[in-house]
C-alpha cells in the first residue's frame, strides 16, 4: 500500500472535503435505491412521508390544488436533498475524525458505517441499508486510491482538485448504476411510484412482493368489462368507461408493500367483540364484482382525478356486524399501512366494500394492495388504501386531510367534465366527457354552445350494469358509476363558449356557483372557448 499521503492531503480541506462528502452522499442515496427500489425501505421514503405529515395545511393545499403532481415531486426532491445532507455530514464527521487521528481507515470504514447507521435509523431495515453504505464506500475508496497514487504535495494544488473530480466521477458512475438497478428492482416488484401507475408491472397475478406468499383468488369481472367496452363512446381524446389510466392520490409518494400473508384487518374500539380478518379469510369468500367510480376532492373542476373501475371483493357490513359496535358518535376511524387515517360516519362505512381485485386483477400496489376500502358516492379520501384497522370511536375526531383543513369525507359534488373536442367526418364539432354524481346517478347532461344562453341535451352512454357475483338482490344498473356524454353540432363561424352541466338522479342540476377545490370540492359549470379553425 502506498498509504503515505497524510490524511489532510487525501481529503483537501474545506470545499474539497465537502464536495467529496456530497458526492458520497449522492452515491449512498442511489445505493439505497439500488438495494430497495421505490419502496418503503428506500431511505427517502420515511423522510418524505414525515415531511408530508408535518407540512402545514396551507402548504399542502397549495401543492395539491396549484402544483398538482409537481408538488409531490418537489416534496420528494426536498426529502432527497435532506438525506444527501445527512449523509454528507456523516462523511465529514468521519473525515474530520480521521484527520485528527491521522488514520485513513477512519473515513474509509467509518464513513460508510455512519451512512449505514443513518439509513438503518431512518428506515428500520438494517440489511437493506447496506446499499447506502456501499454507495458511500465506493466514492470514499476511489478517493482514497486516487490519493495514494499521487500525493497532492507533488501536484498541488491540482492534486486536490483532481481528487474531488475523481470522487464526483465515482459518485456519478455509482449513482447511474444504482438508479438502473433500483428502477429494475421496482419494476420487478410490480410497483412504480405513486405517480399514477395502474400496476402495469404486475401482470403475473399481482405484485410478487405482496402476493408471493398467498393463494391469490381469481376475479371474474369479464362480464362488466365487456359491457363497459361495448357501451363506451368512440370519441377521440376521451377515456373509456373503464379508465385506462386510473389516477393516483397518496399523501406519500412511496406506496407501502404489505405482504398479503402478513396482512390483517382488525375491528377495534367501541365493540362488544374485537375481530380480525386475514387475506385468506376474505379470499375464500364468494366475491361481488361492482363498478365504483372515484373522485378526489382536491382536483380542479375539469381535472383528471376522477376514474372508474370494476372492483371485486366483499361488502363491509357483513364483516363488522359480528363485532357488535356500540359507538356513541356512530363514527369510525379507518387506518392504513402508510399511517393514513380517516374518520367518517358508520352509516357511510356500512355501504362500503373491501376490494381485493381491480378490473379482474389482484389489487395493484399503488391502489392499496392487498385490500382497500371503497365507500361509494363519497370523495375518494375515505376509500382507504392498504387498510389495516377499523376503530369504532366514542367521539368524533379529525382524519389526515381534515387536520389540514379539508372537508372531504362527504358525498361528491355533481360534475360533467369536458375532455374531448374533435371534428367529425361530416365537418361538425363533437364534444364529450364524463359525468358523475356519486350514488345519486346521472340522469341528464346538457350542452350550450353559446355561453349558456340556450341548452340542448347531450347523448349519454347506457348505464353500466349492476353488481354481479354474491349479491342478494342484484341491481339492474351500477349504483355508483359515471357515464359518458357526447354532443355534435354545426359550429358557428367564430369562437364560441361551450358550457356543460349535469342533472343528478334526484333531478338536481349541478350547481353553477364557482368554488375552488379547497376545502370541500370544486363546483361550477365547465366551460371552454372553442375556435372552430383550430379543431382538427
Ligand atoms: N392509505 C391511504 N389511503 C388513501 C390515500 C392515502 O394517501 N393513503 N389517499 C386517499 C385519497 S385523497 C384519494 S382521492 C383516493 C385515491 O385512490 P387511488 O389512488 O386508488 O385513485 O385514495 C384515498 N385513500
Ligand atoms: Mo383525494
Amino acid at each position: 500500500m502506498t498509504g503515505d499521503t497524510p490524511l489532510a492531503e487525501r481529503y483537501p480541506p474545506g470545499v474539497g472535503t465537502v464536495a467529496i462528502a456530497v458526492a458520497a452522499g449522492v452515491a449512498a442515496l442511489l445505493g439505497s435505491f439500488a438495494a430497495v427500489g421505490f419502496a418503503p425501505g428506500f431511505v427517502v421514503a420515511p423522510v418524505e412521508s414525515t415531511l408530508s405529515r408535518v407540512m402545514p395545511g396551507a402548504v399542502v393545499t397549495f401543492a395539491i390544488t396549484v402544483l398538482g403532481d409537481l408538488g409531490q415531486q418537489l416534496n420528494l426532491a426536498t426529502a432527497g436533498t435532506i438525506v444527501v445532507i445527512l449523509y454528507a455530514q456523516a462523511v465529514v464527521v468521519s473525515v474530520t475524525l480521521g484527520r485528527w487521528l491521522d488514520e485513513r481507515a477512519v473515513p474509509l470504514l467509518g464513513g460508510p458505517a455512519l451512512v449505514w447507521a443513518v439509513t438503518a435509523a431512518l428506515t428500520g431495515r438494517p440489511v437493506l441499508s447496506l446499499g447506502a453504505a456501499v454507495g458511500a464506500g465506493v466514492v470514499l475508496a476511489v478517493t482514497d486510491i486516487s490519493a495514494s497514487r499521487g500525493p497532492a504535495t507533488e501536484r498541488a494544488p491540482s492534486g486536490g482538485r483532481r481528487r474531488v473530480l475523481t470522487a464526483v466521477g465515482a459518485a456519478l458512475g455509482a449513482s447511474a448504476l444504482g438508479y438502473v438497478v433500483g428502477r429494475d428492482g421496482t419494476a420487478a416488484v410490480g410497483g412504480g411510484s405513486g405517480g399514477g401507475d395502474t400496476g402495469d408491472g404486475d401482470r403475473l397475478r399481482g405484485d410478487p412482493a405482496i402476493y408471493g406468499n398467498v393463494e391469490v383468488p381469481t376475479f371474474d369481472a369479464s362480464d362488466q368489462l365487456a359491457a363497459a367496452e361495448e357501451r363506451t363512446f368512440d370519441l377521440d381524446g376521451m377515456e373509456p368507461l373503464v379508465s385506462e389510466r386510473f389516477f393516483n392520490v397518496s399523501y406519500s409518494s412511496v406506496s407501502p408493500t404489505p405482504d398479503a400473508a402478513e396482512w390483517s384487518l382488525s375491528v377495534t374500539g367501541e365493540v362488544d367483540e374485537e375481530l380480525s380478518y386475514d387475506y385468506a379469510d376474505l379470499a375464500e369468500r364468494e366475491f361481488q364484482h361492482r363498478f365504483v367510480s372515484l373522485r378526489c376532492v382536491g382536483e380542479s373542476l375539469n381535472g383528471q382525478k376522477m376514474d372508474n373501475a370494476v372492483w371485486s371483493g366483499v361488502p363491509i357490513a357483513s364483516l363488522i356486524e359480528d363485532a357488535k359496535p356500540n359507538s356513541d358518535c356512530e363514527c369510525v376511524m379507518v387506518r392504513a399501512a402508510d399511517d393514513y387515517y380517516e374518520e367518517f360516519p358508520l352509516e357511510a362505512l356500512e355501504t362500503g366494500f373491501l376490494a381485493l381485485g381491480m378490473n379482474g386483477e389482484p389489487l395493484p400496489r399503488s391502489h392499496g394492495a392487498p385490500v382497500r376500502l371503497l365507500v361509494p358516492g363519497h370523495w375518494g379520501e375515505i376509500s382507504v388504501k392498504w387498510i389495516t384497522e377499523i376503530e369504532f370511536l366514542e367521539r368524533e375526531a379529525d382524519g389526515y386531510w381534515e387536520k389540514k383543513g379539508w372537508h372531504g369525507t362527504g358525498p361528491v359534488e355533481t360534475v360533467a367534465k369536458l375532455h374531448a373536442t374533435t371534428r367529425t367526418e361530416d365537418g361538425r364539432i363533437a364534444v364529450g366527457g364524463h359525468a358523475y354524481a356519486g350514488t345519486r346517478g346521472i340522469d341528464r347532461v346538457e350542452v350550450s354552445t353559446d355561453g349558456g344562453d340556450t341548452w340542448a341535451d347531450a347523448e349519454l352512454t347506457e348505464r353500466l350494469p349492476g353488481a354481479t357475483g354474491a349479491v342478494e338482490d342484484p341491481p339492474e344498473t351500477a349504483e355508483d358509476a359515471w357515464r359518458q356524454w357526447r354532443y355534435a353540432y354545426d359550429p358557428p363561424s367564430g369562437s364560441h363558449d361551450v358550457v356543460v352541466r349535469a342533472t343528478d338522479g334526484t333531478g338536481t342540476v349541478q350547481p353553477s356557483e364557482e368554488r375552488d377545490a379547497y376545502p370541500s370540492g370544486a363546483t361550477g359549470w365547465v366551460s371552454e372557448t372553442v375556435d372552430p379553425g383550430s379543431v382538427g
Side-chain angles (χ1 to χ4, degrees):
M1 289 258 253
T2 50
D4 313 313
T5 318
L7 212 75
E9 286 163 22
R10 286 177 179 275
Y11 295 92
V15 178
T17 298
V18 171
I20 291 171
V22 169
V26 171
L29 182 129
L30 271 302
S32 169
F33 184 67
V36 183
F38 212 69
F42 176 38
V43 64
V44 176
V47 177
E48 194 244 13
S49 114
T50 305
L51 271 184
S52 313
R53 248 174 294 134
V54 300
M55 201 88 78
V59 177
V60 176
T61 300
F62 175 78
I64 291 172
T65 55
V66 180
L67 301 177
D69 291 340
L70 181 67
Q72 196 145 38
Q73 279 150 21
L74 274 179
N75 197 28
L76 198 59
T78 308
T81 308
I82 291 173
V83 168
V84 169
I85 291 171
L86 284 176
Y87 282 160
Q89 278 172 342
V91 171
V92 168
V93 165
S94 72
V95 168
T96 309
L97 198 66
R99 246 198 230 121
W100 189 53
L101 298 170
D102 198 20
E103 180 50 71
R104 59 189 283 223
V106 172
L108 202 53
L109 300 175
L114 278 177
V115 162
W116 171 84
V118 167
T119 314
L122 285 170
T123 62
R125 313 211 180 184
V127 177
L128 289 174
S129 299
L130 290 170
V134 169
V138 167
V139 172
L140 292 169
V142 168
T143 309
D144 185 79
I145 292 165
S146 106
S148 304
R149 285 239 207 83
T153 38
E154 283 174 18
R155 299 167 172 230
S158 65
R161 189 176 309 145
R162 193 197 59 209
R163 221 120 56 229
V164 171
L165 288 177
T166 309
V168 170
L172 284 178
S175 299
L177 186 68
Y179 174 72
V180 171
V181 172
R183 192 197 48 194
D184 290 354
T186 310
V189 299
S193 75
D197 73 296
T198 49
D200 293 341
D202 26 42
R203 279 280 155 263
L204 310 162
R205 302 297 310 149
D207 188 332
I210 294 171
Y211 297 104
N213 302 318
V214 290
E215 188 99 26
V216 182
T218 52
F219 307 103
D220 186 9
S222 51
D223 287 353
Q224 271 110 327
L225 291 170
E229 194 175 328
E230 189 204 320
R231 291 169 200 198
T232 291
F233 282 154
D234 178 21
L235 196 63
D236 257 7
M238 183 153 64
E239 266 231 292
L241 282 169
V242 168
S243 303
E244 272 164 0
R245 283 184 54 90
F246 201 107
F247 79 93
N248 217 271
V249 175
S250 308
Y251 83 89
S252 159
S253 47
V254 182
S255 300
T257 318
D259 181 344
E262 307 276 310
W263 177 87
S264 74
L265 168 67
S266 44
V267 182
T268 64
E270 306 294 306
V271 292
D272 281 357
E273 195 185 342
E274 301 212 334
L275 298 174
S276 174
Y277 299 95
D278 63 18
Y279 189 78
D281 291 335
L282 301 183
E284 71 188 23
R285 293 181 181 232
E286 222 187 307
F287 296 138
Q288 276 187 16
H289 313 282
R290 50 157 121 161
F291 286 104
V292 174
S293 300
L294 278 183
R295 185 183 177 203
C296 181
V297 68
E299 72 154 3
S300 60
L301 184 62
N302 200 32
Q304 302 276 359
K305 290 189 165 79
M306 179 170 106
D307 279 300
N308 182 54
V310 42
W311 311 84
S312 303
V314 294
I316 198 112
S318 64
L319 297 171
I320 54 181
E321 235 159 50
D322 294 344
K324 298 198 187 58
N326 47 47
S327 142
D328 283 341
C329 60
E330 303 262 311
C331 64
V332 289
M333 182 70 85
V334 178
R335 296 196 174 78
D338 59 347
D339 292 334
Y340 182 76
Y341 53 97
E342 276 298 337
E343 189 260 19
F344 52 93
L346 174 56
E347 200 186 356
L349 180 72
E350 281 169 342
T351 67
F353 189 71
L354 278 185
L356 284 74
M358 180 183 188
N359 298 333
E361 300 284 329
L363 200 61
R365 178 180 170 211
S366 67
H367 292 295
V371 180
R372 85 173 296 168
L373 177 64
L374 290 168
V375 183
H378 288 247
W379 295 111
E381 62 168 63
I382 64 171
S383 285
V384 175
K385 304 190 274 190
W386 312 290
I387 187 172
T388 55
E389 184 187 352
I390 297 171
E391 185 193 355
F392 285 87
L393 299 181
E394 213 169 323
R395 65 184 75 87
E396 300 202 1
D398 277 340
Y400 177 85
W401 292 113
E402 284 54 51
K403 279 217 160 88
K404 301 199 183 293
W406 289 88
H407 300 287
T409 61
V412 293
E413 294 282 353
T414 300
V415 70
K417 308 214 175 203
L418 202 179
H419 284 161
T421 308
T422 75
R423 185 72 73 167
T424 63
E425 272 165 21
D426 54 3
R428 307 177 87 203
I429 286 181
V431 284
H434 295 83
Y436 179 53
T439 47
R440 296 182 301 277
I442 289 290
D443 266 9
R444 183 183 193 191
V445 169
E446 294 165 283
V447 182
S448 169
T449 56
D450 54 14
D453 289 340
T454 59
W455 294 87
D457 274 297
E459 193 188 347
L460 285 171
T461 45
E462 202 182 323
R463 289 177 206 275
L464 287 168
T468 60
V471 194
E472 264 175 41
D473 288 312
E476 193 82 8
T477 55
E479 288 162 326
D480 178 42
W482 66 9
R483 298 174 81 175
Q484 287 176 325
W485 64 269
R486 75 176 162 199
Y487 181 70
Y489 62 98
D490 295 312
S493 53
S495 262
H496 54 282
D497 288 339
V498 176
V499 192
V500 208
R501 65 181 187 203
T503 302
D504 72 17
T506 71
T508 308
V509 179
Q510 176 180 340
S512 59
E513 182 209 341
E514 286 178 21
R515 200 174 74 188
D516 284 341
Y518 186 79
S520 41
T523 61
W525 293 343
V526 172
S527 161
E528 189 182 290
T529 304
V530 174
D531 170 12
S534 61
V535 179

